[in-house]
Amino acid sequence: MTGDLPADVGGLTAALDRTGYLADEPLATALFLATRMPAPILLEGEPGVGKTEAAKALAAALDTPLVRLQCYEGLTVSEALYEWNYPRQLLAIRLAEASGATVASADLFTPEFLLARPLLAALEHTGPRPAVLLLDEVDRADDEFEAFLLELLAENTVTIPELGTRRAVLPPVVVLTSNRTRDLHDALKRRCLYHWIPYPAADRVAAIVRRRVAGIGDPLADQVAAAVQRLRGLELYKPPGVAEAVDWATALRVLGIATLTPATAAQTLAAVVKYDEDLATVRGSGLFDD
């Protein structure tokens, strides 16, 4: 499993930095442990603080595929694991009939007719380094799917009735993210390493903006970070996160705006405030009045 993976936390921090992701020492340590123990890691935090980006950056830093499963209410095991290629099976039947042959049921349920979905694809990745399996917003999935994940993460195996048990060739590095729309079961949490990603300080947000938005000047990055910090101090339904700071800076850059003034802030609020009620709160606060 260790292969060409970073040798220590500092090495992983530097590799993440080269992808453009700024990870502090606690997060880099947690991600490093996830690659070496190995154990799944659960990243929690407010929306927009960089949980999903951390998994993407980890895959890039390890130079390995990212396999992403976006979780949602009603997600089924078959949608996440595998399904059979029914059109191809039907074509095989018709071709056999046209030639006067018959097709046994067992001939239709073979690996060539199997469509691997994210979970199976991550388990069957052969290397040279383990894939990064991102289970994004796992808190949106149902209890039944969470129970299945617990079993999968414990054994790194799945059973396909027609083909038998499939065991991971190279167990993936598993990153789960949650916005805490509901509490995850204790059994799943006990299986995982855990890290809470807080909203970073303004100077770190400015550093992230400078990395993510090409050509933005230092003053504007600092102004955006400070303005987002002030917005977060209001009673908003959806406080802006790092992602919104990057979006705001990008919008200003596209418009050729070099300085964030009350007028330009009001002009571009749509890039950072995403609910009508929050827009009313911001406008009523006088935060960007001349």
Side-chain angles (χ1 to χ4, degrees), residues 70-132:
Q70 178 63 52
C71 298
Y72 54 87
E73 185 177 356
L75 176 65
T76 65
V77 171
S78 63
E79 290 170 322
L81 190 56
Y82 73 93
E83 65 178 329
W84 292 104
N85 190 336
Y86 293 116
R88 189 171 179 183
Q89 288 172 321
L90 183 58
L91 179 61
I93 293 171
R94 288 178 175 172
L95 288 174
E97 290 174 345
S99 62
T102 59
V103 180
S105 177
D107 294 333
L108 295 174
F109 293 94
T110 59
E112 67 178 301
F113 294 106
L114 188 69
L115 296 175
R117 295 309 182 200
L119 297 182
L120 184 59
L123 291 180
E124 294 193 328
H125 174 66
T126 57
R129 287 170 288 278
V132 172

Side-chain angles (χ1 to χ4, degrees), residues 177-196:
T177 73
S178 168
N179 294 327
R180 300 187 76 176
T181 58
R182 69 171 178 87
D183 287 333
L184 301 177
H185 288 258
D186 287 342
L188 182 60
K189 284 192 169 184
R190 285 197 300 269
R191 178 69 58 186
C192 300
L193 299 166
Y194 179 83
H195 185 76
W196 173 268

Side-chain angles (χ1 to χ4, degrees), residues 5-258:
L5 300 180
D8 51 31
V9 174
L12 180 59
T13 303
L16 291 169
D17 185 75
R18 287 192 293 272
T19 73
Y21 189 87
L22 288 175
D24 58 20
E25 186 176 20
L27 175 57
T29 300
L31 292 173
F32 177 78
L33 291 174
T35 68
R36 289 306 185 97
M37 291 182 61
I41 181 168
L42 172 61
L43 300 179
E44 289 194 324
E46 297 177 25
V49 294
K51 302 182 295 298
T52 299
E53 290 301 318
K56 292 179 179 178
L58 179 62
L62 301 182
D63 190 23
T64 197
L66 173 77
V67 182
R68 180 178 181 177
L69 175 65
Q70 178 63 52
C71 298
Y72 54 87
E73 185 177 356
L75 176 65
T76 65
V77 171
S78 63
E79 290 170 322
L81 190 56
Y82 73 93
E83 65 178 329
W84 292 104
N85 190 336
Y86 293 116
R88 189 171 179 183
Q89 288 172 321
L90 183 58
L91 179 61
I93 293 171
R94 288 178 175 172
L95 288 174
E97 290 174 345
S99 62
T102 59
V103 180
S105 177
D107 294 333
L108 295 174
F109 293 94
T110 59
E112 67 178 301
F113 294 106
L114 188 69
L115 296 175
R117 295 309 182 200
L119 297 182
L120 184 59
L123 291 180
E124 294 193 328
H125 174 66
T126 57
R129 287 170 288 278
V132 172
L133 173 59
L134 169 60
L135 304 175
D136 212 8
E137 297 185 325
V138 69
D139 52 316
R140 296 186 181 277
D142 299 328
D143 290 348
E144 294 79 5
F145 186 77
E146 188 179 328
F148 167 76
L149 278 183
L150 182 63
E151 181 180 354
L152 176 72
L153 296 177
E155 304 295 336
N156 278 309
T157 61
V158 295
T159 299
I160 301 173
E162 298 85 354
L163 299 176
T165 299
R166 311 289 282 263
R167 184 175 298 277
V169 177
L170 194 60
V173 176
V174 182
V175 180
L176 303 90
T177 73
S178 168
N179 294 327
R180 300 187 76 176
T181 58
R182 69 171 178 87
D183 287 333
L184 301 177
H185 288 258
D186 287 342
L188 182 60
K189 284 192 169 184
R190 285 197 300 269
R191 178 69 58 186
C192 300
L193 299 166
Y194 179 83
H195 185 76
W196 173 268
I197 301 182
Y199 186 80
D203 60 342
R204 196 166 188 84
V205 174
I208 294 170
V209 167
R210 282 192 288 271
R211 284 172 172 261
R212 298 290 301 277
V213 184
I216 192 169
D218 286 350
L220 184 55
D222 292 337
Q223 291 164 3
V224 168
V228 170
Q229 200 83 342
R230 292 195 297 272
L231 287 171
R232 289 180 60 83
L234 301 176
E235 293 293 328
L236 301 181
Y237 175 73
K238 172 62 171 66
V242 177
E244 285 76 25
V246 171
D247 287 347
W248 200 5
T250 301
L252 293 165
R253 181 77 179 85
V254 167
L255 293 172
I257 296 172

